[in-house]
Structures are given as structure tokens and as C-alpha cells.
Amino acid sequence: MTSTLPTAVRSGLGPLFAPRGIAVVGASRNPGKLGAAMVRSLSGFADAGGYLALVNGRDETMYGSVAEAARYGTVDLAVICVPAAACADVLAGAAVAGAGAAVICGGGFAEAGGPGIDHQRRLAEVVRSTGIRLLGPNTSGFVAPHAGVTASFVPGVAQVRPGKVAVVAASGGVNHALAFALTEAGHGLSLAVGLGNGVDVTAPDVLEHLADDPDTGAVALHVESVPDGPRLVASVRRLAARRPVVALVVGRHDIGAFAASHTGALATSWRTTRAALAQAGAVLVDDERELVDAVGALAVTRAKPAAEPGVGVVTAQAGPGLLLLDDLRGRRARVPELTAGTQATLAGLLPPLTFQRNPVDTGRPGPELGAVLAAVGADPGVDVIAGYALHEPDAVDIVAAARKGSSAGVPFVLGLGGTGEAVVRGRRALLEAGVAVAADPRGVAAATAALLTDARVRARAVPAADDTLVPTGITGSHDENQAKTLLDRLGVATMPRRACSDRAAAHTALAELGGPVAVKLLDATVLHKTEIGGVHLGITTPTELDTALDRLDAAGARRYLVESMAPPGVDLVVGARRDPVFGPIVLLGLGGTTAEALADVAIRLAPLAPAEAAAMPGELAGQALLAGWRGGPVLDPDELARVVASLGALLAANPPLDEIEINPLRLTAQGLVALDAVIITREADDAHPDR
């Protein structure tokens, strides 16, 4: 069974999103049926001159098959609205008839379990054997306004107008929710796609399509699960190099069972997915409201690339201005004090009692608002303006003020508060003037943060991965001494130590090292020694050593590790492991064993350059502890970067190596030192399934 379309056509998504002709299979004259709703939605495509064929073998007024419909016009896309059990045969028939793509909106597939899994498997087999591109199943479809295609059964979606924002959502429902929210915010769409179960067309396919789409200015990406992490990262990286990508990843909390029942796929690690997308160049948001504000702003304007862009805050009401400033501070935005020259200009425009250093409080907005915005935008420390004003047409022409403010060439986000049709018109006029718009201070902060992140992403150089030579051929199980010997080879500092096979050797080690020492059970099969009483600290005398050895013997010790105690400091955890979705990753956290429980971690894909690793501490909530907190030690970011990058390179260079972790890695006044280390290789893991 082969398609009549050339391979180059079948491999792309043109037949799906810009078809010349569409066949609705399962079309119905019963208005309550899915097929009838789909025909109504696609009527605009027919009105614009597209070929719309209705297919239903039980209705003699319609075509009996896609093949019959294709004899009277070109059918690029089949929209299939039949029961799940019949979909595979219909899909195969559409491919034979020359259709390059299909959409299956109905459910009853992997998400339903049971026979649905087999129905979905049959769809995948048809896709593999014919090359037809399939969106779905279990999706509410897509909207391509520029092409005049509304392949969705959701009422009201035809009101979505053409524009510059594209939506790529794991869920058809979320796709439509975002499309409607963007429409209400005044934005038009270039494409809005709900992926559903993703048998064939997945997020990377659509992102790669959008990278070459001239109608798209910014992309909203909604992620629930990731079948192929490296491909998703590659597609986001390619797209983000051309136009901004804003990503919302679901799964911060425990939703795994519901997520699995939704599409038949497992939920993806939330932290790892976010880290991977950010590393690829995406702007991250925390909820769907922020997604709308952020992608809407980036579709309208972008700041110039800058490593640390500054924000100028202008508010016509002090209370909302405080909310805005507080939100920006929480997002780690830099709000610099304006220069003396800028403040002098503002002093000539505003009453003396207003705050003018940044934020700038104008009091009730007046005709001078445009000049104030222009003055703030001209300040050398300002890369983005964030403003807020209530709709007061008797006091100021907000659109004219925004246009004057734009004369400084600095993008800005303006919150226009109020209600009613006049406010809606005002917000749309601002958008048309190239000003990003939000309805409230929180929306202004989210949009501003997106512009700042986008500016930082484009300012950072893309460093080559670390090319430092690392040991290869790492196999088998490793006890702590062997793991630390490997760290020594990587240049990671460890404390002086002795591996001891008996009590006499342990006493000799104490005499050679001097106290105090740590005495530990030495066994590659025991990963968490503390939990079984396998670690004793601060041993200084032979008597104390004998007591510790007695306890270790009771815990099953056959060998011991005697090691000099490390000086005090701040404990971190650094590790590299193979993520089942994204492959090699590295992790940095504060707090040793509590790091992941507290969610204070930074993650990167590996291998990575030291320059990229050096930025990881800046993402930690407890980063102040690494900067001499209360007279404590100060982190050398380059030293830490070498450790992190080396672990990532080691993992990447040794396929049998599953995980290497230093926990804790202590920051001392003398630098970093590894206090414990664990290495897990595939052979060792297989030998100890209880791990």
C-alpha cells in the first residue's frame, strides 16, 4: 500500500495545514453528530473556494469514499469522524486515494485502554506503511486562519482571526482555551493545533513546520509528555533561533495517573523538561494566563539582546505600580535607578511630589505621559518599559502617548485597566501601534519578564560542549573509594583517605592521617550508608575507632574507609544521570540530601560547556549561601563549572555509566571538596535490582 504523493510532500505538513481540498469522512446531516459539526466548521473553507467533499457511504447524497471524492477534486486532507474501530481502514483508504494528511478527532484509543490500544496501534501501522501524516487521534482538531481552515468541532472557533501567534498544545482542549484567550486579548493566530495522542504528528513536527512559516511571529507551546526529548530540544532550538517560543510544562504536582489517562502517555519530569526547554532557548511560564501575556507580547515586540536588561517602570497609579514592581522583583528583573539626566528631564515634566527614580509615578496620567515614557526609554539603563494606567480618555490619549513613548526605540508593555468596549478598542489600538498590552499589573509583569528572558537568551553565546578529555571504559560496580579515585582523575578535590581491609589497617590509617577522621562502611552494594549506621564522624582516638568499627561490623562491614574530616562549609549536591526522556543531564542543588525535596535544583542537558554550567548557581533559591553568607565561604563559579561539566562529559563518554553523584560536595574556605560519591553503571544496576 503506497501513497500517490511524492515523498517530499508526504514528509511535510503542508497537506495538513494548507490543504487544497478536504474530505470529511463521516459527514452527517444530523446536527448533533461530530461529522455535522465538522462540516459546519469547514464551510468557510468551501465558501472561499476550497474543495470540501462530504463522505458517508450510508448517505447516497454524499461520496461513498475518499477515493470517489478524489475523482472530482484534489483531496489533501481527510478529516475522519467515524468510530475508533473503523478509523484505521478509513485512514488507509485516504492514503491510497492520495491524501497527504488526516485528522482523527474522536476518542476511544490508547487513552481509553483495552481495545483502544489496538485501534491506535493499527493507526500507527497505516502511518508507517503509507507515509500519510496523522494529527490525533483524541484531539479537537486545529485552526489555520491564514489558510481559511477551521478543522475543529468546537463552536466559536471560526471567530479566531488571522494573526502572528501560533499555539502548539498537547491537549485539544487547551489548544482551544489558549486560542480563545489570545483572541480575547486582541491577538490573531497563525495556527492553533491540539496534538491529542500524537500517533504521528507531535510537537517537534509542528515546531519544525513553524520555523519556516512567515505568518508566525511567536509560538505558545503546551507540554504534557515528551516521547522524544532530544528531538523536542532540537526543534525548539531551531525555532527559537528564528522566533520566540514560550513554553508551559504541565506536571509541577502529582498528576501522573490523570495525565496517563488523558493521552495514554506517561507524564514527563516537570523540572527536567523545563530545564531542557530553557536550555534550548524557550521562555518558560507557570500557567496559561502567563502564557497568553508572554507570547502575546513577544508576537508584538522584542527587546534587543542583553545579558542583564533593565526595566523602567512607569505607573499612573501608585498602588498598581507597587504590585507591578513587587511582581517584577519576584521574577528577578533588574529595575535600575535612572540617571541624573533622566531624573532632571522627568522633574521638568512631573509634579515634585511624585517618585521619579524608577519606578516613575506620574500621578493621574496627563498629556505629559508620552514624554515621560520617551524619557524613561531613552535612559541608558533601560531596555524595556513596563507601564500601567487606568483608562481615562478625558485625562490622556493613551495610544498617542504610547506612540510618542515608542520614539525612544525601546519596547514596552502597557497595562490598560478598565472595562467595556472602549477599553477593548484601546488595547487593540495599542497592539496595532506595536505596544504589548496586558489587562492588569500581573499581566504586565509576566509579559515584561518574557521580553527580558528573550533578550537574555539571544544575548548568550551558544558555547560548544566541554571537550575536556575524560576517562572512558567505566564499567562495573564502584565503592566509595573507587568512585573518589575516579573523581581525583577528573580533578575534583577529595580528602585524604585509606581503604582498609581489616581493623589493623584502620588503626594504621588513623595514625597516618591523624584525627579527626570519618570511618565508613566500604561496600559498593550499599548506596545509603548513613541509613544503616555505616558512617561515624569525628573519630580521634584508637578507642573511639574501635567503637566505630564494632558498630560497622554489626552493620555487616567487611572493609572500611578511613578519611580525614573536611573543614566546615556549605553542602551541595552535584550529579549526572541518564534521564529516560532527555538522555544525559547534570543537576546542581543546595542542601545535600534535601535538595530535590526542597526543589532547589538547577538542571542542564549534558554534555555542556563550563560557561553554561557556571550559570547554574544563579538559579538556586539559596544562592546567597554561596556568596559569603555571614562570613562563610565564597563560591568560585569557574571551579564549580569545571566539576559539573566534567561529570556531564564523563557520563556522555561512557554509555554503561548510568549515574555519578557527589553528595555532598562541600564549599569550604579552601574550595570545593567531594565528601561522598556514588557511581552506578548499567551492569552494577542490573546485578542489584533492589536499587
Side-chain angles (χ1 to χ4, degrees), residues 533-567:
V535 178
H536 299 274
L537 306 177
I539 305 301
T540 58
T541 67
T543 300
E544 292 174 344
L545 176 60
D546 280 327
T547 300
L549 295 177
D550 288 342
R551 292 174 179 172
L552 291 178
D553 290 345
R558 294 183 176 86
R559 300 172 66 236
Y560 319 106
L561 182 68
V562 179
E563 183 176 53
S564 295
M565 293 286 291

Side-chain angles (χ1 to χ4, degrees), residues 14 19 133 207 396 420 435 457 529 542 549 609 637 664 666:
R133 302 311 308 262
L207 296 176
V396 64
V435 177
V457 166
K529 297 183 286 292
L549 295 177
R666 178 166 293 174

Side-chain angles (χ1 to χ4, degrees), residues 468-475 486 489-490 649-657:
T468 302
L469 293 178
V470 295
T472 57
I474 306 300
T475 59
L486 180 56
R489 295 174 64 188
L490 293 175
L650 184 73
L651 191 75
N654 290 272
L657 182 57

Side-chain angles (χ1 to χ4, degrees), residues 243-620:
R243 47 187 58 88
V245 180
V246 182
L248 170 62
V249 180
V250 180
R252 181 197 298 262
H253 306 292
D254 184 12
I255 58 167
F258 182 38
S261 68
H262 180 206
T263 62
L266 294 176
T268 303
S269 165
W270 181 78
R271 291 192 190 95
T272 303
T273 303
R274 281 174 56 94
L277 294 179
Q279 194 171 343
V283 175
L284 301 178
V285 293
D286 291 330
D287 56 46
E288 65 280 5
R289 179 179 173 183
E290 286 194 1
L291 182 59
V292 169
D293 288 321
V295 77
L298 286 166
V300 172
T301 186
R302 300 178 83 176
K304 294 178 181 178
E308 271 307 318
V311 183
V313 179
V314 179
T315 179
Q317 286 83 29
L322 286 171
L323 292 175
L324 172 56
L325 178 64
D326 191 37
D327 202 333
L328 287 171
R329 295 287 195 196
R331 298 171 191 270
R332 300 184 183 180
R334 189 173 69 89
V335 184
E337 182 168 317
L338 301 176
T339 64
T342 302
Q343 291 186 48
T345 300
L346 293 172
L349 296 169
L350 296 171
L353 294 180
T354 58
F355 195 86
Q356 299 170 11
R357 295 199 301 268
N358 199 13
V360 176
D361 177 18
T362 69
R364 189 177 184 225
E368 74 286 342
L369 180 58
V372 170
L373 291 169
V376 173
D379 189 276
V382 171
D383 300 279
V384 178
I385 299 175
Y388 182 83
L390 293 174
H391 179 64
E392 297 185 69
D394 294 336
V396 64
D397 183 338
I398 197 72
V399 177
R403 288 198 176 100
K404 187 170 184 178
S406 297
S407 63
V410 174
F412 64 93
V413 183
L414 184 60
L416 183 58
T419 186
E421 185 57 34
V423 174
V424 172
R425 287 196 303 268
R427 290 172 183 159
R428 289 185 177 175
L430 288 168
L431 289 173
E432 291 170 0
V435 177
V437 178
D440 52 39
R442 180 187 173 192
V444 175
T448 302
L451 294 179
L452 298 176
T453 301
D454 178 63
R456 294 189 199 103
V457 166
R458 289 184 292 126
R460 75 186 184 203
V462 181
D466 186 20
D467 58 358
T468 302
L469 293 178
V470 295
T472 57
I474 306 300
T475 59
S477 58
H478 289 63
D479 60 31
E480 182 180 340
N481 182 57
Q482 292 169 319
K484 287 182 173 176
T485 299
L486 180 56
L487 293 181
D488 293 335
R489 295 174 64 188
L490 293 175
V492 180
T494 59
M495 296 301 295
R497 64 187 181 277
R498 302 287 188 273
C500 306
S501 57
D502 54 35
R503 298 173 74 100
H507 278 276
T508 300
L510 175 62
E512 292 176 351
L513 295 174
V517 297
V519 183
K520 308 177 186 180
L521 178 152
L522 191 58
D523 188 335
T525 66
V526 179
L527 300 183
H528 304 291
K529 297 183 286 292
T530 304
E531 296 176 5
I532 62 169
V535 178
H536 299 274
L537 306 177
I539 305 301
T540 58
T541 67
T543 300
E544 292 174 344
L545 176 60
D546 280 327
T547 300
L549 295 177
D550 288 342
R551 292 174 179 172
L552 291 178
D553 290 345
R558 294 183 176 86
R559 300 172 66 236
Y560 319 106
L561 182 68
V562 179
E563 183 176 53
S564 295
M565 293 286 291
V570 180
D571 286 346
L572 302 94
V573 55
V574 176
R577 63 171 179 251
R578 295 190 189 279
D579 183 82
V581 174
F582 290 96
I585 64 169
V586 291
L587 177 147
L588 167 68
L590 277 166
T593 57
T594 64
E596 288 198 72
L598 296 174
D600 194 13
V601 295
I603 298 172
R604 292 289 189 279
L605 303 179
L608 75 166
E612 194 160 24
M616 294 174 70
E619 298 177 13
L620 301 177

